[in-house]
Amino acid sequence: MNAMARVLSKAPKQTPGIGITPLDEWISVITKGDLQEYQLAMLNATLETAQKGRYYAQRGYPRELRELSQLSKLPTIDAQTIQSIGSGLICAPLGEVSRIVTLRTSGSTGSPKRLFFSEEDLELTLDYFANGLTAVACPGEAMMILLPCERRGGVGDLIARALERIPVRPVRFGPIGDLRECASALSKESAAALVGAPVQILALARYCEAKKVDTKVRSALLCTDNVPEAVKHELARIWDCEVYEHYGSTEMGLGGAIDCDAHCGLHIRENDLLFEVVDEQGTPVPDGVSGEVVFTTLTRRAMPLIRYKTGDVSRIVEGRCACGSDLKRLAATEGRLAGTVTMACGARLSIRELDEALLGLRAVCDYDITTAPADDHVVIEIHTQRSIGDIRPAPVAEALRSACLPESIKATINVTVLPDALPRREGKRKIFLQEAIIC
């Protein structure tokens, strides 16, 4: 089977509710009901395509594997590979590359990552979004997109174009700056669904609650960063809405795995991606065991990635989903390997634990944390908005101490009240490091 000759399916018209993930039928149609046979065929087609790339050809990658389990014997690659090799990973003529994405790795002063996509690669992601999003939005509704939409082939643009296939009316708003403006648009457009970053949507919901903005929000899809349970709980409380989660990255073509109505794991885009969870040596671990998420693209033409290490920690959920699907599910990510800081006292701080401790506090919309590990000192800058209300450092400190911050760590807590506006962020939220902190 030719990996690049997939017939794209139409997005099914499905009303959200308790039921099997819409990805189930979509993937079944594409794979003709035999997922493993299809994956092996696509994997071998990818290995054949990889021979056209300088990097894979020079390292003697095989042209064919007899079974999927042999994939784990191949070497892994990572962000540093993409930074250093760059165009050496391209396996298609440059004339077929329609989108190049440049990403700077957080904290890196070296070369950025450059990722190359053909128009066909983008079309496959469109097909995935058009089917996966039917779990979140119904035909005839409007969905507000709180992600960058201006560039063709970017995540917001692809979501908007995919929604039109369902058909759902896309509202291309972009990342939130002014909360009043966004809340007004949400109400005016009568958007029943929205998609965006967790902390941005949390701030919007709290602003709408404080200002008593009438909305029709029925569902929210959270993506692009860690998705705290505290944020899900708050959105459900404020809007009485269904909250879904999506896992993806630019490296995997923006779409990777999406929640269903059962909310017990994210269904993997198994027709386009092979996911593994591996230990420190790159060896796959059993389902249910946490490790680093690694993926292999099965249908990428311009720049296939074979056993790419994401840096994210998660696990494959065991058994069949409560929705009835046998598709593999990825548990919500447990953070990033580089996202945990060990202090001199031995305590370990992670964004995931800090999020759960802080974002459940009603007036907290976001925060920044700077650490000096050698001094066992952290500075936390709490962000709130004028309309949402101020918060004193004392309850913040209490929440941190009870959840994840031992007494051995000195904590300086500052509160900044913003004028109903959100500062622009680049990339995922992280813990900033300093050698020493002067207060």
Side-chain angles (χ1 to χ4, degrees):
M1 187 183 297
N2 186 339
M4 309 311 165
R6 183 171 101 194
V7 177
L8 302 179
S9 60
K10 286 187 176 181
K13 295 183 178 181
Q14 178 177 326
T15 300
I18 299 300
I20 196 166
T21 172
L23 293 188
D24 198 86
E25 181 181 358
W26 175 63
I27 290 176
S28 180
V29 168
I30 291 170
T31 62
K32 303 188 185 309
D34 195 330
L35 180 57
Q36 289 198 332
E37 180 181 345
Y38 173 90
Q39 288 178 327
L40 181 59
M42 295 300 100
L43 177 57
N44 284 329
T46 295
L47 290 170
E48 183 68 29
T49 298
Q51 301 302 314
K52 302 172 185 177
R54 185 175 74 251
Y55 177 85
Y56 294 119
Q58 289 178 348
R59 283 156 181 77
Y61 275 70
R63 292 179 179 270
E64 185 178 14
L65 298 178
R66 293 190 305 275
E67 53 188 45
L68 290 174
S69 61
Q70 292 178 309
L71 175 64
S72 64
K73 304 300 181 183
L74 301 183
T76 58
I77 60 176
D78 56 20
Q80 193 170 29
T81 309
I82 296 178
Q83 284 178 279
S84 59
I85 302 301
S87 60
L89 289 164
I90 300 176
C91 299
L94 285 176
E96 294 184 13
V97 174
S98 63
R99 174 141 170 82
I100 302 174
V101 181
T102 301
L103 301 172
R104 288 206 173 271
T105 303
S106 298
S108 173
T109 57
S111 302
K113 291 185 291 185
R114 301 188 77 205
L115 299 155
F116 300 79
F117 300 91
S118 69
E119 194 62 34
E120 193 168 3
D121 295 335
L122 298 177
E123 181 61 42
L124 296 175
T125 297
L126 269 170
D127 194 32
Y128 161 71
F129 280 158
N131 284 270
L133 288 170
T134 61
V136 184
C138 292
E141 291 181 339
M143 185 175 200
M144 179 172 278
I145 304 168
L146 303 175
L147 298 166
C149 299
E150 64 277 6
R151 292 187 180 179
R152 181 172 175 80
V155 61
D157 172 66
L158 290 175
I159 289 174
R161 288 157 59 191
L163 289 173
E164 291 171 346
R165 298 182 179 188
I166 295 176
V168 168
R169 179 169 60 87
V171 179
R172 295 172 177 250
F173 188 86
I176 302 173
D178 186 297
L179 285 167
R180 183 193 62 79
E181 180 186 1
C182 187
S184 175
L186 180 64
S187 180
K188 179 181 177 181
E189 298 288 350
S190 298
L194 39 74
V195 55
V199 292
Q200 287 224 329
I201 293 182
L202 174 66
L204 176 62
R206 286 184 167 154
Y207 177 86
C208 289
E209 180 182 39
K211 289 294 189 179
K212 296 182 171 51
V213 178
D214 182 31
T215 72
K216 308 297 182 186
V217 176
R218 180 185 52 75
S219 61
L221 178 62
L222 308 182
C223 59
T224 74
D225 205 347
N226 176 49
V227 180
E229 289 297 320
V231 172
K232 293 182 186 179
H233 180 271
E234 280 294 277
L235 295 182
R237 178 188 67 80
I238 294 169
W239 280 330
D240 190 26
C241 66
E242 200 79 9
V243 182
Y244 297 87
E245 182 174 352
H246 179 266
Y247 174 72
S249 67
T250 305
E251 291 88 343
M252 66 180 64
L254 299 173
I258 193 167
D259 204 356
C260 71
D261 297 328
H263 304 299
C264 52
L266 314 182
H267 292 279
I268 296 171
R269 181 185 172 187
E270 288 201 80
N271 51 333
D272 291 323
L273 300 167
L274 263 179
F275 274 42
E276 303 171 79
V277 176
V278 304
D279 60 21
E280 293 179 357
Q281 287 72 47
T283 303
V285 300
D287 290 356
V289 177
S290 295
E292 183 174 5
V293 178
V294 170
F295 71 84
T296 297
T297 61
L298 296 177
T299 50
R300 183 85 61 80
R301 178 170 177 78
M303 189 179 182
L305 297 178
I306 299 172
R307 303 202 76 210
Y308 180 81
K309 300 173 70 176
T310 64
D312 296 320
V313 178
S314 187
R315 58 185 170 81
I316 299 296
V317 181
E318 297 179 273
R320 169 182 281 192
C321 181
C323 80
S325 174
D326 286 315
L327 292 176
K328 281 188 177 180
R329 290 166 292 143
L330 190 71
T333 57
E334 300 170 20
R336 292 185 58 78
L337 291 174
T340 300
V341 174
T342 302
M343 308 297 283
C345 65
R348 293 168 64 86
L349 298 182
S350 72
I351 280 286
R352 183 169 177 259
E353 291 182 333
L354 291 163
D355 280 353
E356 298 298 352
L358 296 175
L359 296 178
L361 299 174
R362 296 287 171 92
V364 176
C365 290
D366 200 354
Y367 67 92
D368 289 315
I369 177 168
T370 302
T371 66
D375 295 338
D376 284 331
H377 190 184
V378 302
V379 173
I380 298 174
E381 302 283 345
I382 299 294
H383 302 164
T384 186
Q385 272 69 41
R386 183 182 299 148
S387 294
I388 296 172
D390 201 352
I391 185 171
R392 300 290 92 195
V396 175
E398 184 179 347
L400 286 170
R401 294 299 184 196
S402 63
C404 61
L405 203 66
E407 294 291 341
S408 55
I409 295 178
K410 179 184 176 183
T412 301
I413 299 170
N414 303 316
V415 177
T416 301
V417 181
L418 300 172
D420 294 340
L422 300 181
R424 185 174 179 83
R425 283 192 178 274
E426 298 292 340
K428 290 181 169 58
R429 295 158 58 253
K430 64 179 183 178
I431 299 174
F432 296 93
L433 300 178
Q434 288 188 1
E435 290 186 5
I437 295 173
I438 301 175
C439 297

